[in-house]
Amino acid sequence: MEWWRTAVIYQIYPRSFADSDGDGIGDLPGITSRLPHLADLGVDALWLSPFYRSPMVDGGYDVSDYRDVDPVFGTLADFDALLAEAHRLNLRVIVDIVPNHTSSAHPWFAQGLRDRYVFAEGRGTDPPNAWQSAFGGPAWSRLPDGAWYLHSFDPGQPDLNWDNPQVRAEFADILHFWLSRGVDGFRVDVAHGLIKPDISEIPLISIFDQDRVHEIYRGWRKILDEYPGERMAVAEVFDTEPERVARYVAADELHQAFNFDFLEAPWDPAELRRIIDASLAAAAGVGAPPTWVISNHDRRRPVTRFGDGVVGLRRARAAALLMLGLPGAAYVYQGEELGLPEVLDLPDEVRTDPQWVRSGGAEPGRDGCRVPLPWEGDEPPFGFGPGERAWLPMPPDWAGRTVAAQRADPGSTLNLYRDAIRLRRPATTLTWRPAPDGVLCFETEGFLVAANLGGSAFTLPREPVLASSPVGGTLPPDTTVWMEPG
Ligand code: NOJ
């Protein structure tokens, strides 16, 4: 079975993982120095959010050179060193590819090569249509000469025109560039957005899952298959039905797609079961593995999403064992393994997210889940780097949440993730078992899993192998256990 079908993949947001040079911003040598943490956790692969040259209007999702490392993160030689060290530790490396848009500082846009972007006639001083940017406000902006261009995100991220063969050829070449350097795959940003609806159509957004996008991924699959070693790609596809997401992971397209329905699910047993069933059915229909995720660099951290303080952490731990007990592949976002909460009280002046900037502060934005990781020590920046501070302030009360502190505590969230990832057995099927209301109980080739999402205490049929919170003979609310199957 290919490695990615049951892998645990750890997402690194390079700006916030580890800083080697003391400028307060994470970088590639910092990541390399902390790879033993991932080897110790037992994950199969890491996915690096963008580290390419970028004006950083959107944390690097605005790329100005797809074949180079931004100086703030290091050099191509640093990337090669990271890749070599990861491979030495048996960790595969997936890099982010951002094909929907470039930065406005990309040479194509800067040099006025307008046929490679989406330009349209305005209606007088009004934009060409009513499409809204995902970050708020119109999805169209004007150049000084009055021409309107599309940006599904920030005005600094003009959308590419995928009907232009030069755009297709350029991205094929970028894929070859990184594959021949040795990367194990790609995470495809806004995979469903590349082909735009007709601009006279009414949808409110430009990111619209058009059928013609699939021919692009059939082409990319051929490129991936030219390389040995089971290279893969995972698609970011949102705002559409599981059956439509599954089309991106047909046998001749990409390998996986993120499960945003699972990520967005409330702490509700019926809803979770419905989503699990729909996800399994959609993936099975095309022979792809289902995937599971409870956090990433765009969403509020689960500890905060699922409740306040104690309850949130308890549920986040139960959600982690539920996710890691499901068949298929799972994604873990940095800091999730430490049970970090969202930082809700960042001062306005340190916030950088365009979601916050463009909404005039009405939307809190995503900085709160991007606060740098606490590694060790008693005060900020907790070993994040040799500098005095990190690019976002770290809460002083994270002293008990550092990697070092949690390593020493057998009951820590870090040790729960470590035990779960190490005990996890590859699984591809799921059978539901009878359970009282509020309890999800299923068996895979790996374990018998029971998650109590708020039902009454449930008598356990046998001793758990692993539990998200202490259990006796019964399974208390907001707790998941793994037991031997059969
Ligand atoms: C999805 C990425 O995850 C997000 O961080 C980014 O802002 C948008 N795509 C635009 O690239």
Side-chain angles (χ1 to χ4, degrees), residues 11 13 47 49 58 61-62 96 98 100-101 135 153 157 187 189-190 236 238 296-298 353-355 366 370:
Q11 181 191 354
Y13 192 72
W47 145 34
S49 278
D58 184 18
Y61 281 94
D62 48 318
D96 222 300
V98 188
N100 180 68
H101 44 266
F135 293 154
F153 295 89
Q157 295 167 295
R187 176 266 187 188
D189 191 61
V190 203
E236 184 198 36
F238 49 83
N296 68 24
H297 65 295
D298 292 330
D353 186 10
Q355 234 171 43
R366 302 163 294 178
R370 299 174 178 178

Side-chain angles (χ1 to χ4, degrees), residues 342-354 356-357 361 363-368 391-393:
E342 185 87 2
V343 179
L344 297 170
D345 59 355
L346 287 171
D348 288 355
E349 60 277 13
V350 303
R351 292 184 188 267
T352 63
D353 186 10
W356 183 80
V357 177
E363 292 286 332
R366 302 163 294 178
D367 293 306
W391 71 281
L392 286 174

